[in-house]
């Protein structure tokens, strides 16, 4: 936020860390974002000197109240499809490292002000237009590789 005071809405490169949680019923956890009212998995910006894995775990806990016991690397999301303009006008070119988590604990709770609703979905329920634009490419790959994850 300090940097935004200097550069305004201009495009920044943003390093993100995310976790896709999958429960024992082979459903994935999504949260409906408060800013654009579209669905997405847990994730956010990596802080200065923070390990990417720690950032992913921190975001999962902050947004959904869950603690990741084990995470496995899934993919990097970057390029033109991950470019995003937030509703407030801030623009980012995302480089996002994404992990899969099937082992977790905690009480599911959506973070007020950031997540309007949290729930588990069957992969077949998820349509591209319900997903936040910069992560739609991730869902395409997730759907293509779904059976190989188990």
């Amino acid at each position: 936020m300090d940097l935004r005071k200097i550069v305004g809405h201009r495009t920044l490169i943003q390093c993100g860390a995310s976790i896709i949680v999958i429960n024992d019923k082979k459903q994935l956890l999504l949260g409906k974002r408060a800013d654009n009212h579209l669905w997405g998995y847990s994730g956010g910006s990596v802080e200065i000197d923070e390990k990417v894995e720690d950032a992913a775990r921190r975001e999962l806990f902050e947004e959904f109240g869950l603690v990741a016991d084990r995470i496995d690397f899934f993919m990097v999301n970057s390029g033109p499809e991950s470019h995003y303009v937030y509703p407030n006008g801030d623009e980012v070119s995302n480089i996002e490292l994404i992990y899969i988590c099937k082992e977790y604990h905690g009480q599911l709770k959506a973070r007020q002000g950031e997540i309007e609703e949290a729930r588990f979905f069957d992969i077949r329920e998820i349509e591209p237009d319900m997903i936040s634009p910069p992560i739609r490419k991730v869902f395409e790959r997730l759907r293509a590789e779904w059976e190989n994850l188990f």
Side-chain angles (χ1 to χ4, degrees):
M1 298 325 279
D2 290 338
L3 188 55
R4 281 286 175 208
K5 292 175 188 172
I6 299 167
V7 301
H9 296 300
R10 286 187 289 181
T11 306
L12 295 175
I13 294 175
Q14 177 173 264
C15 181
S18 301
I19 292 182
I20 298 172
V21 172
I22 301 172
N23 68 14
D24 57 1
K25 297 176 185 174
K26 298 183 180 179
Q27 299 170 316
L28 56 116
L29 176 62
L30 297 178
K32 192 172 194 179
R33 297 171 54 106
D35 61 355
N36 66 9
H37 312 291
L38 295 171
W39 295 88
Y41 43 75
S42 168
S45 296
V46 178
E47 302 292 337
I48 293 173
D49 293 333
E50 185 177 32
K51 291 182 180 180
V52 175
E53 297 89 347
D54 293 343
R57 285 184 162 96
R58 173 181 51 77
E59 289 290 338
L60 177 62
F61 183 74
E62 289 176 358
E63 293 177 350
F64 293 109
L66 299 178
V67 176
D69 296 324
R70 177 181 166 192
I71 60 174
D72 296 301
F73 179 74
F74 179 59
M75 69 177 284
V76 174
N77 182 26
S78 62
E81 299 91 352
S82 67
H83 193 107
Y84 186 64
V85 180
Y86 288 94
N88 70 359
D90 289 351
E91 196 163 345
V92 293
S93 176
N94 285 309
I95 301 168
E96 174 190 23
L97 287 83
I98 305 158
Y99 298 86
I100 299 283
C101 175
K102 295 184 235 173
E103 297 174 22
Y104 59 92
H105 67 277
Q107 183 69 36
L108 179 60
K109 182 180 177 188
R111 183 179 190 175
Q112 288 189 349
E114 191 169 347
I115 306 293
E116 295 175 341
E117 178 185 353
R119 72 179 185 94
F120 284 91
F121 286 82
D122 184 286
I123 191 78
R124 295 176 302 250
E125 292 179 82
I126 301 167
E127 298 294 330
D129 63 347
M130 65 188 278
I131 300 299
S132 191
I135 62 172
R136 287 179 181 163
K137 177 173 70 173
V138 177
F139 278 89
E140 290 173 20
R141 181 164 172 194
L142 188 64
R143 188 181 307 274
E145 296 184 20
W146 187 251
E147 292 304 319
N148 295 329
L149 296 174
F150 303 100

